[in-house]
Amino acid sequence: MSKTIKIIPLGGAGEIGKNMTVIEYGENMLVIDSGIMFPENDMLGIDYIIPDFNYLRENRSRVRGVVITHGHEDHTGAINHLMEDIDAPVYATGLTCGLLEVKLNRAGLADKVKLVTINAGDSVQIGPFGVELFHVCHSIPDAVGLGITTPAGLIVHSGDYKFDHTPVDNWPTDFGKLAEFGSRGVLALLADSTNADEPGWTPSEAVIDPAFDRVFEEAKGRILVGSFASLISRMQQVAHAAERHGRQLAFVGRSMVDNARMARKLGYLDVPDELIVDINQALKMRPSKVVLMCTGTQGEPYSILGRLSQGTNRQFDIQKGDTVVLSSTPIPGNEELVHRTINRLFQRGANVIYDAIAPVHVSGHASQEEMKLLLQVVRPEHLIPIHGELRHLMQHSVLAQEIGLPKHNIAVVENGTIVSFNEGEMAIEGRIPGGYIFVDGSVVGDVGPRVLREREALARDGVAIIHLMLDCDEGNLLEEPDIITRGFVFTEDAGDLLSDARSLIREIVSQPFDGTLERRVEEELSKFFYTQTRRRPMIFVFASRSN
Ligand SMILES: [Zn+2]
Ligand SMILES: [Zn+2]
């Protein structure tokens, strides 16, 4: 058998989100992570995006296992979509398995998928891949990186990591294991590039505690902390702060409640029963005695904070004197939405504290000096930067070159690129599709770029509907053409425009033409509206024919 190994990033290479990497040896494949990505502002109506895993679907009999490095959505969110097509066990640590179970349950896949819990420090043989899990610090407990021994050499996958010496759970990154990999000899390192343009070190999670203390001391009314439902370590810090300041804590929203319950049950979240109250109870308590923890720090309109900012939350509203803490930074692309949410919360009378004002959030990812340290300790022959936009991957490559890794030993590649190693030599072997699959409500993959372009056109220029009543025999108009517009022109001011349009339609109907009348009216009106208004509304023409 040849000793060629292939590494194919299917997500997260060239973007922040939907992480997924495939490692292929002979007839065997190992999948690492299965995440989602949040849509950008111009992707109207799209809930989230998943990797294109058609390659895995086509080769399903060769997939030996799926390993998930930690419980964040950009690593776990697409697990239900993946496991509909793949029949292989899923391996993860305790907390990650718990979070995956919540997702698989909701998708009705819990019985079908074999979830295997393995701990950091343990190893498992998956086909020809000997996988060792090592602990890394990140913004969720029980995160791991992977050492993967293959017949072609050792591959190290960093997972999402930072080198925090004072993490919330007192469990630092496993430097010893990284050094051991280094001494064994590492063929390739795949490493997190998120903060490749941040100089220095990422601050420890410990800096958040004093910031929260100040917020809790100054707040007179209720405190609402917005965070990701998967940011378990932030839940822990908020719980500790509540305890220190004599408040009780309520988790709000299904994913928050489910994840908190799971993390407490498995021992990753240490919150005494007396500290927790149910949301209904919390709403009846004195405002100065409660903290509510909810989702929506990215401005998502249907999250709790999103609804609160718009006054559309069912159970309760923002009240004067509330303090809202946004404990996260906007994911690139979400800034505008987040700032709008912050403004609306202020408008409703809340005091809003976000990371530009106080250090209520620190990154869970390594900065430049930590990235260099990882490279120095692991001493890989090759580097494949992952988990970043192209600019982050490029910057990661520059950092690696600064500490002596030759440029031709670094593969800056985007999703779908096949990186192969043959007898230790790295080569790029072409590309498979690595694009976006849009998930819109429960519809997967049916919404393509064309539908998005239509939505954009509708949002930008609106719609015009034209109804024609025609004589069946002669094709003459029996009534004045009816024109209804929405989002295009304000009809009362558009009298002239619409009566000119009606004249144009009468003229078209009275003249001979090729093709269908509807099509011709649509084309001519589109031109007419554009010359008059510089807009291109979507035009629908219906003709009824009668005697
Ligand atoms: Zn993460
Ligand atoms: Zn991530």
Side-chain angles (χ1 to χ4, degrees):
M1 201 195 246
S2 102
K3 290 224 170 148
T4 303
I5 192 145
K6 292 178 185 169
I7 300 178
I8 313 166
L10 282 183
E15 68 202 353
I16 299 280
K18 69 175 178 68
N19 296 287
M20 176 179 266
T21 305
V22 179
I23 299 187
E24 200 175 326
Y25 180 77
E27 286 299 300
N28 307 281
M29 291 182 182
L30 178 72
V31 180
I32 303 166
D33 290 330
S34 178
I36 57 168
M37 185 162 94
F38 293 107
E40 285 169 31
N41 283 347
D42 53 358
M43 298 175 183
L44 298 168
I46 297 301
D47 295 325
Y48 57 89
I49 302 157
I50 59 177
D52 182 342
F53 26 70
N54 215 17
Y55 183 63
L56 295 174
R57 209 173 283 137
E58 282 166 3
N59 294 287
R60 70 182 78 189
S61 63
R62 297 166 60 197
V63 179
R64 302 287 168 252
V66 178
V67 186
I68 306 291
T69 56
H70 64 284
H72 283 157
E73 290 290 338
D74 60 324
H75 299 257
T76 62
I79 191 75
N80 47 330
H81 299 289
L82 178 69
M83 298 319 286
E84 270 172 15
D85 296 308
I86 302 294
D87 182 24
V90 178
Y91 302 87
T93 59
L95 177 64
T96 311
C97 274
L99 296 169
L100 289 169
E101 210 179 297
V102 170
K103 282 182 195 305
L104 292 169
N105 263 326
R106 274 186 208 161
L109 288 170
D111 294 335
K112 189 184 162 241
V113 178
K114 189 178 167 206
L115 268 179
V116 185
T117 305
I118 37 175
N119 297 315
D122 289 352
S123 50
V124 57
Q125 191 69 32
I126 306 173
F129 310 103
V131 181
E132 293 166 77
L133 279 68
F134 60 94
H135 182 72
V136 289
C137 282
H138 186 40
S139 42
I140 186 166
D142 225 4
V144 292
L146 312 171
I148 305 162
T149 302
T150 74
L154 175 61
I155 294 161
V156 175
H157 185 297
S158 74
D160 289 7
Y161 77 100
K162 66 192 274 192
F163 289 147
D164 192 339
H165 300 303
T166 48
V168 175
D169 60 4
N170 294 318
W171 192 3
T173 296
D174 191 346
F175 292 102
K177 194 71 189 177
L178 288 170
E180 189 203 315
F181 289 143
S183 63
R184 273 194 244 163
V186 174
L187 175 67
L189 170 70
L190 284 72
D192 177 1
S193 313
T194 312
N195 283 348
D197 47 17
E198 294 290 329
W201 284 70
T202 302
S204 167
E205 282 187 318
V207 307
I208 293 177
D209 292 330
F212 270 136
D213 276 336
R214 210 158 43 243
V215 172
F216 276 65
E217 271 157 27
E218 285 167 14
K220 302 275 182 288
R222 295 187 303 195
I223 299 173
L224 289 86
V225 180
S227 187
F228 289 113
S230 57
L231 244 171
I232 310 288
S233 54
R234 202 53 42 79
M235 290 183 187
Q236 184 69 69
Q237 289 177 297
V238 172
H240 283 327
E243 208 166 10
R244 286 198 296 273
H245 296 270
R247 289 184 185 241
Q248 281 180 295
L249 171 62
F251 294 107
V252 190
R254 189 166 76 157
S255 49
M256 270 285 170
V257 171
D258 284 355
N259 287 358
R261 185 187 304 125
M262 180 61 75
R264 287 181 74 209
K265 191 176 103 193
L266 297 173
Y268 293 97
L269 184 59
D270 174 24
V271 187
D273 287 338
E274 317 80 82
L275 197 72
I276 295 194
V277 287
D278 152 80
I279 176 66
N280 294 311
Q281 220 175 321
L283 295 177
K284 290 183 206 129
M285 290 168 58
R286 280 233 311 277
S288 62
K289 288 290 166 199
V290 284
V291 189
L292 310 179
M293 207 164 170
C294 49
T295 57
T297 54
Q298 298 301 312
E300 311 94 307
Y302 297 106
S303 63
I304 305 272
L305 276 184
R307 292 198 305 247
L308 283 171
S309 75
Q310 297 173 72
T312 54
N313 193 41
R314 251 180 301 135
Q315 222 171 358
F316 63 98
D317 284 314
I318 286 289
Q319 56 194 40
K320 237 185 158 37
D322 281 349
T323 301
V324 179
V325 183
L326 294 186
S327 187
S328 75
T329 38
I331 295 172
N334 286 358
E335 291 89 349
E336 204 184 307
L337 214 56
V338 173
H339 295 156
R340 207 179 306 151
T341 306
I342 292 174
N343 290 333
R344 284 187 179 144
L345 289 167
F346 272 121
Q347 260 170 2
R348 293 183 179 276
N351 181 28
V352 191
I353 294 167
Y354 50 103
D355 70 342
I357 298 180
V360 286
H361 179 70
V362 292
S363 173
H365 300 271
S367 296
Q368 289 181 351
E369 295 307 311
E370 292 156 281
M371 297 168 76
K372 287 187 227 169
L373 179 59
L374 178 70
L375 283 158
Q376 293 287 23
V377 174
V378 174
R379 284 176 283 135
E381 285 165 46
H382 304 90
L383 170 70
I384 305 178
I386 54 168
H387 207 290
E389 294 175 13
L390 193 53
R391 63 197 170 101
H392 302 125
L393 310 182
M394 291 302 260
Q395 185 57 34
H396 199 168
S397 163
V398 170
L399 294 174
Q401 290 170 59
E402 275 173 20
I403 61 168
L405 201 64
K407 192 173 178 188
H408 59 262
N409 284 17
I410 305 168
V412 173
V413 295
E414 292 187 272
N415 296 337
T417 308
I418 303 169
V419 183
S420 72
F421 295 90
N422 197 345
E423 307 286 333
E425 286 296 312
M426 184 171 76
I428 303 294
E429 261 199 30
R431 208 160 168 185
I432 58 170
Y436 289 175
I437 302 295
F438 296 116
V439 181
D440 175 351
S442 57
V443 181
V444 182
D446 288 347
V447 178
R450 212 192 102 195
V451 175
L452 285 188
R453 275 199 299 278
E454 287 172 0
R455 286 181 188 176
E456 220 182 287
L458 281 170
R460 203 180 45 233
D461 296 335
V463 54
I465 296 166
I466 289 103
H467 183 236
L468 308 175
M469 194 62 116
L470 298 169
D471 176 331
C472 199
D473 302 323
E474 307 284 324
N476 300 324
L477 277 168
L478 293 174
E479 283 171 23
E480 269 291 276
D482 212 1
I483 304 179
I484 302 163
T485 68
R486 289 288 182 274
F488 169 45
V489 284
F490 182 53
T491 319
E492 277 177 28
D493 295 343
D496 287 350
L497 178 76
L498 296 185
S499 73
D500 288 352
R502 276 192 284 269
S503 313
L504 177 65
I505 294 171
R506 277 197 301 273
E507 206 182 306
I508 297 167
V509 174
S510 67
Q511 285 168 1
F513 58 89
D514 297 329
T516 69
L517 176 67
E518 286 89 339
R519 181 93 198 116
R520 170 130 172 102
V521 170
E522 189 190 313
E523 281 169 8
E524 291 297 321
L525 270 189
S526 179
K527 271 186 238 159
F528 171 72
F529 283 145
Y530 186 71
T531 51
Q532 300 292 314
T533 66
R534 296 284 133 193
R535 285 165 193 266
R536 289 189 199 280
M538 273 209 168
I539 298 174
F540 300 93
V541 182
F542 300 96
S544 316
R545 291 172 171 87
S546 72
N547 312 320

